[in-house]
Amino acid sequence: MLGTSEGRPRLNPTFAAFASHWGFTPRLCQPYRAQTKGKVESGVKYVKRNFVPGRVFRTWRTSTRSSPAWQLEIAESA
């Protein structure tokens, strides 16, 4: 978010185009509300701590090939 304009959030234009292209509407967390922000970041933390450690990815494509198996075998059984 780039701030507000007329009481509405202003999104980074590149992110706004990305959201439009993929057909989703960004939901913004209230500032200083750890209760809402943590729900989003917990998923990122889980992947960083459980999928990434010990793996070396030479390319982005390599990482995306490994992630579906990890998701089915590990993440969904947790």
Side-chain angles (χ1 to χ4, degrees), residues 3-33:
T4 58
S5 175
E6 298 176 9
R8 301 185 72 202
R10 286 187 322 138
L11 296 176
N12 174 300
T14 303
F15 181 69
F18 174 80
S20 176
H21 174 80
W22 289 104
F24 71 91
T25 303
R27 291 179 52 194
L28 305 177
C29 299
Q30 292 295 320
Y32 309 103
R33 292 282 316 262

PDB file of all heavy atoms in Angstrom, residues 3-33:
ATOM      1  N   GLY A   3      -0.224   4.277   0.876  1.00  0.00           N
ATOM      2  CA  GLY A   3      -0.868   5.312   1.673  1.00  0.00           C
ATOM      3  C   GLY A   3      -2.345   5.347   1.345  1.00  0.00           C
ATOM      4  O   GLY A   3      -2.912   4.362   0.882  1.00  0.00           O
ATOM      5  N   THR A   4      -2.950   6.490   1.577  1.00  0.00           N
ATOM      6  CA  THR A   4      -4.379   6.615   1.276  1.00  0.00           C
ATOM      7  C   THR A   4      -4.621   7.848   0.430  1.00  0.00           C
ATOM      8  O   THR A   4      -3.822   8.784   0.411  1.00  0.00           O
ATOM      9  CB  THR A   4      -5.210   6.723   2.573  1.00  0.00           C
ATOM     10  OG1 THR A   4      -4.751   7.845   3.315  1.00  0.00           O
ATOM     11  CG2 THR A   4      -5.106   5.472   3.409  1.00  0.00           C
ATOM     12  N   SER A   5      -5.715   7.797  -0.262  1.00  0.00           N
ATOM     13  CA  SER A   5      -6.161   8.933  -1.060  1.00  0.00           C
ATOM     14  C   SER A   5      -7.664   9.011  -0.911  1.00  0.00           C
ATOM     15  O   SER A   5      -8.374   8.035  -1.211  1.00  0.00           O
ATOM     16  CB  SER A   5      -5.775   8.728  -2.530  1.00  0.00           C
ATOM     17  OG  SER A   5      -6.290   9.763  -3.320  1.00  0.00           O
ATOM     18  N   GLU A   6      -8.153  10.118  -0.408  1.00  0.00           N
ATOM     19  CA  GLU A   6      -9.576  10.309  -0.162  1.00  0.00           C
ATOM     20  C   GLU A   6     -10.144   9.197   0.721  1.00  0.00           C
ATOM     21  O   GLU A   6     -11.241   8.695   0.495  1.00  0.00           O
ATOM     22  CB  GLU A   6     -10.334  10.388  -1.490  1.00  0.00           C
ATOM     23  CG  GLU A   6      -9.904  11.560  -2.357  1.00  0.00           C
ATOM     24  CD  GLU A   6     -10.584  11.583  -3.712  1.00  0.00           C
ATOM     25  OE1 GLU A   6     -11.529  10.793  -3.930  1.00  0.00           O
ATOM     26  OE2 GLU A   6     -10.166  12.391  -4.543  1.00  0.00           O
ATOM     27  N   GLY A   7      -9.340   8.787   1.710  1.00  0.00           N
ATOM     28  CA  GLY A   7      -9.782   7.775   2.655  1.00  0.00           C
ATOM     29  C   GLY A   7      -9.730   6.349   2.136  1.00  0.00           C
ATOM     30  O   GLY A   7     -10.125   5.425   2.823  1.00  0.00           O
ATOM     31  N   ARG A   8      -9.250   6.150   0.930  1.00  0.00           N
ATOM     32  CA  ARG A   8      -9.158   4.799   0.358  1.00  0.00           C
ATOM     33  C   ARG A   8      -7.688   4.434   0.182  1.00  0.00           C
ATOM     34  O   ARG A   8      -6.868   5.284  -0.128  1.00  0.00           O
ATOM     35  CB  ARG A   8      -9.868   4.751  -1.000  1.00  0.00           C
ATOM     36  CG  ARG A   8     -11.342   5.143  -0.861  1.00  0.00           C
ATOM     37  CD  ARG A   8     -12.082   4.991  -2.136  1.00  0.00           C
ATOM     38  NE  ARG A   8     -12.231   3.553  -2.385  1.00  0.00           N
ATOM     39  CZ  ARG A   8     -12.452   3.044  -3.578  1.00  0.00           C
ATOM     40  NH1 ARG A   8     -12.551   3.820  -4.625  1.00  0.00           N
ATOM     41  NH2 ARG A   8     -12.572   1.751  -3.740  1.00  0.00           N
ATOM     42  N   PRO A   9      -7.356   3.154   0.350  1.00  0.00           N
ATOM     43  CA  PRO A   9      -5.952   2.744   0.190  1.00  0.00           C
ATOM     44  C   PRO A   9      -5.485   2.892  -1.254  1.00  0.00           C
ATOM     45  O   PRO A   9      -6.257   2.683  -2.186  1.00  0.00           O
ATOM     46  CB  PRO A   9      -5.946   1.278   0.606  1.00  0.00           C
ATOM     47  CG  PRO A   9      -7.353   0.836   0.614  1.00  0.00           C
ATOM     48  CD  PRO A   9      -8.211   2.053   0.719  1.00  0.00           C
ATOM     49  N   ARG A  10      -4.229   3.308  -1.401  1.00  0.00           N
ATOM     50  CA  ARG A  10      -3.615   3.388  -2.737  1.00  0.00           C
ATOM     51  C   ARG A  10      -2.632   2.236  -2.851  1.00  0.00           C
ATOM     52  O   ARG A  10      -1.672   2.151  -2.089  1.00  0.00           O
ATOM     53  CB  ARG A  10      -2.866   4.706  -2.918  1.00  0.00           C
ATOM     54  CG  ARG A  10      -3.752   5.908  -3.114  1.00  0.00           C
ATOM     55  CD  ARG A  10      -2.964   7.162  -3.455  1.00  0.00           C
ATOM     56  NE  ARG A  10      -1.707   7.242  -2.715  1.00  0.00           N
ATOM     57  CZ  ARG A  10      -0.544   7.626  -3.245  1.00  0.00           C
ATOM     58  NH1 ARG A  10      -0.475   7.967  -4.507  1.00  0.00           N
ATOM     59  NH2 ARG A  10       0.540   7.685  -2.520  1.00  0.00           N
ATOM     60  N   LEU A  11      -2.865   1.344  -3.802  1.00  0.00           N
ATOM     61  CA  LEU A  11      -1.987   0.201  -4.000  1.00  0.00           C
ATOM     62  C   LEU A  11      -0.861   0.543  -4.961  1.00  0.00           C
ATOM     63  O   LEU A  11      -1.024   1.390  -5.840  1.00  0.00           O
ATOM     64  CB  LEU A  11      -2.774  -0.979  -4.570  1.00  0.00           C
ATOM     65  CG  LEU A  11      -3.878  -1.560  -3.695  1.00  0.00           C
ATOM     66  CD1 LEU A  11      -4.619  -2.648  -4.447  1.00  0.00           C
ATOM     67  CD2 LEU A  11      -3.301  -2.106  -2.405  1.00  0.00           C
ATOM     68  N   ASN A  12       0.248  -0.155  -4.809  1.00  0.00           N
ATOM     69  CA  ASN A  12       1.330  -0.063  -5.765  1.00  0.00           C
ATOM     70  C   ASN A  12       0.748  -0.449  -7.135  1.00  0.00           C
ATOM     71  O   ASN A  12       0.053  -1.463  -7.246  1.00  0.00           O
ATOM     72  CB  ASN A  12       2.427  -1.044  -5.342  1.00  0.00           C
ATOM     73  CG  ASN A  12       3.533  -1.143  -6.345  1.00  0.00           C
ATOM     74  OD1 ASN A  12       3.320  -1.515  -7.488  1.00  0.00           O
ATOM     75  ND2 ASN A  12       4.724  -0.850  -5.895  1.00  0.00           N
ATOM     76  N   PRO A  13       0.987   0.339  -8.184  1.00  0.00           N
ATOM     77  CA  PRO A  13       0.375   0.058  -9.491  1.00  0.00           C
ATOM     78  C   PRO A  13       0.722  -1.329 -10.039  1.00  0.00           C
ATOM     79  O   PRO A  13      -0.120  -1.982 -10.652  1.00  0.00           O
ATOM     80  CB  PRO A  13       0.916   1.156 -10.402  1.00  0.00           C
ATOM     81  CG  PRO A  13       1.372   2.240  -9.500  1.00  0.00           C
ATOM     82  CD  PRO A  13       1.749   1.586  -8.203  1.00  0.00           C
ATOM     83  N   THR A  14       1.935  -1.802  -9.814  1.00  0.00           N
ATOM     84  CA  THR A  14       2.322  -3.123 -10.304  1.00  0.00           C
ATOM     85  C   THR A  14       1.530  -4.209  -9.582  1.00  0.00           C
ATOM     86  O   THR A  14       1.035  -5.155 -10.203  1.00  0.00           O
ATOM     87  CB  THR A  14       3.838  -3.356 -10.107  1.00  0.00           C
ATOM     88  OG1 THR A  14       4.536  -2.300 -10.784  1.00  0.00           O
ATOM     89  CG2 THR A  14       4.276  -4.687 -10.648  1.00  0.00           C
ATOM     90  N   PHE A  15       1.373  -4.054  -8.268  1.00  0.00           N
ATOM     91  CA  PHE A  15       0.597  -5.034  -7.509  1.00  0.00           C
ATOM     92  C   PHE A  15      -0.869  -4.971  -7.901  1.00  0.00           C
ATOM     93  O   PHE A  15      -1.532  -6.010  -8.038  1.00  0.00           O
ATOM     94  CB  PHE A  15       0.763  -4.816  -6.008  1.00  0.00           C
ATOM     95  CG  PHE A  15      -0.010  -5.811  -5.190  1.00  0.00           C
ATOM     96  CD1 PHE A  15       0.368  -7.134  -5.162  1.00  0.00           C
ATOM     97  CD2 PHE A  15      -1.126  -5.417  -4.476  1.00  0.00           C
ATOM     98  CE1 PHE A  15      -0.353  -8.069  -4.424  1.00  0.00           C
ATOM     99  CE2 PHE A  15      -1.852  -6.338  -3.736  1.00  0.00           C
ATOM    100  CZ  PHE A  15      -1.459  -7.664  -3.709  1.00  0.00           C
ATOM    101  N   ALA A  16      -1.398  -3.783  -8.108  1.00  0.00           N
ATOM    102  CA  ALA A  16      -2.796  -3.634  -8.520  1.00  0.00           C
ATOM    103  C   ALA A  16      -3.026  -4.320  -9.869  1.00  0.00           C
ATOM    104  O   ALA A  16      -4.044  -5.006 -10.070  1.00  0.00           O
ATOM    105  CB  ALA A  16      -3.177  -2.159  -8.593  1.00  0.00           C
ATOM    106  N   ALA A  17      -2.089  -4.183 -10.794  1.00  0.00           N
ATOM    107  CA  ALA A  17      -2.208  -4.842 -12.099  1.00  0.00           C
ATOM    108  C   ALA A  17      -2.142  -6.361 -11.940  1.00  0.00           C
ATOM    109  O   ALA A  17      -2.884  -7.107 -12.598  1.00  0.00           O
ATOM    110  CB  ALA A  17      -1.111  -4.352 -13.037  1.00  0.00           C
ATOM    111  N   PHE A  18      -1.254  -6.840 -11.062  1.00  0.00           N
ATOM    112  CA  PHE A  18      -1.134  -8.266 -10.782  1.00  0.00           C
ATOM    113  C   PHE A  18      -2.464  -8.818 -10.248  1.00  0.00           C
ATOM    114  O   PHE A  18      -2.963  -9.847 -10.716  1.00  0.00           O
ATOM    115  CB  PHE A  18      -0.005  -8.482  -9.771  1.00  0.00           C
ATOM    116  CG  PHE A  18       0.144  -9.894  -9.292  1.00  0.00           C
ATOM    117  CD1 PHE A  18       0.809 -10.842 -10.056  1.00  0.00           C
ATOM    118  CD2 PHE A  18      -0.358 -10.272  -8.053  1.00  0.00           C
ATOM    119  CE1 PHE A  18       0.959 -12.141  -9.611  1.00  0.00           C
ATOM    120  CE2 PHE A  18      -0.208 -11.569  -7.592  1.00  0.00           C
ATOM    121  CZ  PHE A  18       0.443 -12.501  -8.375  1.00  0.00           C
ATOM    122  N   ALA A  19      -3.036  -8.125  -9.273  1.00  0.00           N
ATOM    123  CA  ALA A  19      -4.300  -8.557  -8.679  1.00  0.00           C
ATOM    124  C   ALA A  19      -5.409  -8.566  -9.727  1.00  0.00           C
ATOM    125  O   ALA A  19      -6.210  -9.501  -9.788  1.00  0.00           O
ATOM    126  CB  ALA A  19      -4.672  -7.647  -7.514  1.00  0.00           C
ATOM    127  N   SER A  20      -5.442  -7.557 -10.548  1.00  0.00           N
ATOM    128  CA  SER A  20      -6.459  -7.476 -11.596  1.00  0.00           C
ATOM    129  C   SER A  20      -6.301  -8.621 -12.591  1.00  0.00           C
ATOM    130  O   SER A  20      -7.271  -9.265 -12.980  1.00  0.00           O
ATOM    131  CB  SER A  20      -6.361  -6.125 -12.302  1.00  0.00           C
ATOM    132  OG  SER A  20      -7.265  -6.066 -13.359  1.00  0.00           O
ATOM    133  N   HIS A  21      -5.064  -8.880 -12.991  1.00  0.00           N
ATOM    134  CA  HIS A  21      -4.799  -9.953 -13.955  1.00  0.00           C
ATOM    135  C   HIS A  21      -5.266 -11.310 -13.433  1.00  0.00           C
ATOM    136  O   HIS A  21      -5.869 -12.090 -14.155  1.00  0.00           O
ATOM    137  CB  HIS A  21      -3.302 -10.012 -14.280  1.00  0.00           C
ATOM    138  CG  HIS A  21      -2.933 -11.171 -15.146  1.00  0.00           C
ATOM    139  ND1 HIS A  21      -3.126 -11.168 -16.503  1.00  0.00           N
ATOM    140  CD2 HIS A  21      -2.414 -12.385 -14.835  1.00  0.00           C
ATOM    141  CE1 HIS A  21      -2.732 -12.335 -17.002  1.00  0.00           C
ATOM    142  NE2 HIS A  21      -2.289 -13.082 -16.008  1.00  0.00           N
ATOM    143  N   TRP A  22      -4.999 -11.584 -12.151  1.00  0.00           N
ATOM    144  CA  TRP A  22      -5.345 -12.882 -11.583  1.00  0.00           C
ATOM    145  C   TRP A  22      -6.742 -12.905 -10.969  1.00  0.00           C
ATOM    146  O   TRP A  22      -7.182 -13.923 -10.450  1.00  0.00           O
ATOM    147  CB  TRP A  22      -4.291 -13.301 -10.561  1.00  0.00           C
ATOM    148  CG  TRP A  22      -3.018 -13.662 -11.248  1.00  0.00           C
ATOM    149  CD1 TRP A  22      -1.879 -12.914 -11.322  1.00  0.00           C
ATOM    150  CD2 TRP A  22      -2.762 -14.827 -12.036  1.00  0.00           C
ATOM    151  NE1 TRP A  22      -0.932 -13.541 -12.083  1.00  0.00           N
ATOM    152  CE2 TRP A  22      -1.450 -14.725 -12.545  1.00  0.00           C
ATOM    153  CE3 TRP A  22      -3.510 -15.952 -12.371  1.00  0.00           C
ATOM    154  CZ2 TRP A  22      -0.881 -15.701 -13.345  1.00  0.00           C
ATOM    155  CZ3 TRP A  22      -2.928 -16.929 -13.168  1.00  0.00           C
ATOM    156  CH2 TRP A  22      -1.641 -16.792 -13.645  1.00  0.00           C
ATOM    157  N   GLY A  23      -7.435 -11.778 -11.011  1.00  0.00           N
ATOM    158  CA  GLY A  23      -8.835 -11.740 -10.602  1.00  0.00           C
ATOM    159  C   GLY A  23      -9.091 -11.826  -9.107  1.00  0.00           C
ATOM    160  O   GLY A  23     -10.055 -12.438  -8.684  1.00  0.00           O
ATOM    161  N   PHE A  24      -8.233 -11.202  -8.302  1.00  0.00           N
ATOM    162  CA  PHE A  24      -8.518 -11.171  -6.873  1.00  0.00           C
ATOM    163  C   PHE A  24      -8.476  -9.735  -6.378  1.00  0.00           C
ATOM    164  O   PHE A  24      -7.887  -8.867  -7.003  1.00  0.00           O
ATOM    165  CB  PHE A  24      -7.557 -12.059  -6.071  1.00  0.00           C
ATOM    166  CG  PHE A  24      -6.143 -11.559  -5.977  1.00  0.00           C
ATOM    167  CD1 PHE A  24      -5.743 -10.736  -4.938  1.00  0.00           C
ATOM    168  CD2 PHE A  24      -5.202 -11.936  -6.924  1.00  0.00           C
ATOM    169  CE1 PHE A  24      -4.432 -10.293  -4.844  1.00  0.00           C
ATOM    170  CE2 PHE A  24      -3.888 -11.511  -6.834  1.00  0.00           C
ATOM    171  CZ  PHE A  24      -3.508 -10.678  -5.792  1.00  0.00           C
ATOM    172  N   THR A  25      -9.140  -9.515  -5.267  1.00  0.00           N
ATOM    173  CA  THR A  25      -9.163  -8.201  -4.631  1.00  0.00           C
ATOM    174  C   THR A  25      -8.326  -8.275  -3.365  1.00  0.00           C
ATOM    175  O   THR A  25      -8.627  -9.084  -2.476  1.00  0.00           O
ATOM    176  CB  THR A  25     -10.605  -7.795  -4.267  1.00  0.00           C
ATOM    177  OG1 THR A  25     -11.380  -7.815  -5.460  1.00  0.00           O
ATOM    178  CG2 THR A  25     -10.642  -6.411  -3.644  1.00  0.00           C
ATOM    179  N   PRO A  26      -7.258  -7.482  -3.275  1.00  0.00           N
ATOM    180  CA  PRO A  26      -6.425  -7.506  -2.066  1.00  0.00           C
ATOM    181  C   PRO A  26      -7.233  -7.089  -0.838  1.00  0.00           C
ATOM    182  O   PRO A  26      -8.055  -6.179  -0.904  1.00  0.00           O
ATOM    183  CB  PRO A  26      -5.332  -6.474  -2.352  1.00  0.00           C
ATOM    184  CG  PRO A  26      -5.325  -6.318  -3.832  1.00  0.00           C
ATOM    185  CD  PRO A  26      -6.732  -6.569  -4.275  1.00  0.00           C
ATOM    186  N   ARG A  27      -7.034  -7.803   0.252  1.00  0.00           N
ATOM    187  CA  ARG A  27      -7.646  -7.445   1.532  1.00  0.00           C
ATOM    188  C   ARG A  27      -6.540  -6.928   2.427  1.00  0.00           C
ATOM    189  O   ARG A  27      -5.584  -7.633   2.711  1.00  0.00           O
ATOM    190  CB  ARG A  27      -8.320  -8.657   2.162  1.00  0.00           C
ATOM    191  CG  ARG A  27      -9.545  -9.089   1.366  1.00  0.00           C
ATOM    192  CD  ARG A  27     -10.201 -10.291   1.964  1.00  0.00           C
ATOM    193  NE  ARG A  27     -10.478 -10.087   3.376  1.00  0.00           N
ATOM    194  CZ  ARG A  27     -10.801 -11.060   4.204  1.00  0.00           C
ATOM    195  NH1 ARG A  27     -10.846 -12.292   3.780  1.00  0.00           N
ATOM    196  NH2 ARG A  27     -11.040 -10.794   5.466  1.00  0.00           N
ATOM    197  N   LEU A  28      -6.659  -5.719   2.847  1.00  0.00           N
ATOM    198  CA  LEU A  28      -5.613  -5.084   3.651  1.00  0.00           C
ATOM    199  C   LEU A  28      -5.875  -5.271   5.137  1.00  0.00           C
ATOM    200  O   LEU A  28      -7.013  -5.202   5.590  1.00  0.00           O
ATOM    201  CB  LEU A  28      -5.547  -3.593   3.318  1.00  0.00           C
ATOM    202  CG  LEU A  28      -5.341  -3.257   1.839  1.00  0.00           C
ATOM    203  CD1 LEU A  28      -5.378  -1.763   1.638  1.00  0.00           C
ATOM    204  CD2 LEU A  28      -4.043  -3.842   1.333  1.00  0.00           C
ATOM    205  N   CYS A  29      -4.821  -5.499   5.873  1.00  0.00           N
ATOM    206  CA  CYS A  29      -4.910  -5.598   7.331  1.00  0.00           C
ATOM    207  C   CYS A  29      -4.945  -4.192   7.917  1.00  0.00           C
ATOM    208  O   CYS A  29      -4.351  -3.271   7.375  1.00  0.00           O
ATOM    209  CB  CYS A  29      -3.697  -6.333   7.885  1.00  0.00           C
ATOM    210  SG  CYS A  29      -3.535  -8.016   7.298  1.00  0.00           S
ATOM    211  N   GLN A  30      -5.614  -4.064   9.025  1.00  0.00           N
ATOM    212  CA  GLN A  30      -5.620  -2.788   9.729  1.00  0.00           C
ATOM    213  C   GLN A  30      -4.228  -2.544  10.301  1.00  0.00           C
ATOM    214  O   GLN A  30      -3.592  -3.474  10.796  1.00  0.00           O
ATOM    215  CB  GLN A  30      -6.649  -2.799  10.856  1.00  0.00           C
ATOM    216  CG  GLN A  30      -8.077  -2.849  10.386  1.00  0.00           C
ATOM    217  CD  GLN A  30      -8.463  -1.597   9.627  1.00  0.00           C
ATOM    218  OE1 GLN A  30      -8.085  -0.490   9.987  1.00  0.00           O
ATOM    219  NE2 GLN A  30      -9.216  -1.772   8.557  1.00  0.00           N
ATOM    220  N   PRO A  31      -3.754  -1.313  10.247  1.00  0.00           N
ATOM    221  CA  PRO A  31      -2.440  -1.018  10.837  1.00  0.00           C
ATOM    222  C   PRO A  31      -2.417  -1.357  12.326  1.00  0.00           C
ATOM    223  O   PRO A  31      -3.401  -1.148  13.032  1.00  0.00           O
ATOM    224  CB  PRO A  31      -2.278   0.488  10.634  1.00  0.00           C
ATOM    225  CG  PRO A  31      -3.277   0.876   9.612  1.00  0.00           C
ATOM    226  CD  PRO A  31      -4.376  -0.137   9.666  1.00  0.00           C
ATOM    227  N   TYR A  32      -1.293  -1.912  12.754  1.00  0.00           N
ATOM    228  CA  TYR A  32      -1.066  -2.216  14.165  1.00  0.00           C
ATOM    229  C   TYR A  32      -2.061  -3.233  14.720  1.00  0.00           C
ATOM    230  O   TYR A  32      -2.408  -3.206  15.880  1.00  0.00           O
ATOM    231  CB  TYR A  32      -1.067  -0.936  15.013  1.00  0.00           C
ATOM    232  CG  TYR A  32      -0.154   0.114  14.456  1.00  0.00           C
ATOM    233  CD1 TYR A  32      -0.654   1.203  13.756  1.00  0.00           C
ATOM    234  CD2 TYR A  32       1.231  -0.017  14.572  1.00  0.00           C
ATOM    235  CE1 TYR A  32       0.197   2.138  13.207  1.00  0.00           C
ATOM    236  CE2 TYR A  32       2.083   0.922  14.022  1.00  0.00           C
ATOM    237  CZ  TYR A  32       1.556   2.001  13.347  1.00  0.00           C
ATOM    238  OH  TYR A  32       2.395   2.938  12.811  1.00  0.00           O
ATOM    239  N   ARG A  33      -2.553  -4.109  13.857  1.00  0.00           N
ATOM    240  CA  ARG A  33      -3.482  -5.159  14.281  1.00  0.00           C
ATOM    241  C   ARG A  33      -2.827  -6.514  14.072  1.00  0.00           C
ATOM    242  O   ARG A  33      -3.033  -7.170  13.066  1.00  0.00           O
ATOM    243  CB  ARG A  33      -4.789  -5.103  13.484  1.00  0.00           C
ATOM    244  CG  ARG A  33      -5.687  -3.932  13.717  1.00  0.00           C
ATOM    245  CD  ARG A  33      -6.497  -4.046  15.008  1.00  0.00           C
ATOM    246  NE  ARG A  33      -7.067  -5.342  15.242  1.00  0.00           N
ATOM    247  CZ  ARG A  33      -8.311  -5.684  14.975  1.00  0.00           C
ATOM    248  NH1 ARG A  33      -9.141  -4.826  14.436  1.00  0.00           N
ATOM    249  NH2 ARG A  33      -8.737  -6.907  15.247  1.00  0.00           N
TER     250      ARG A  33
END
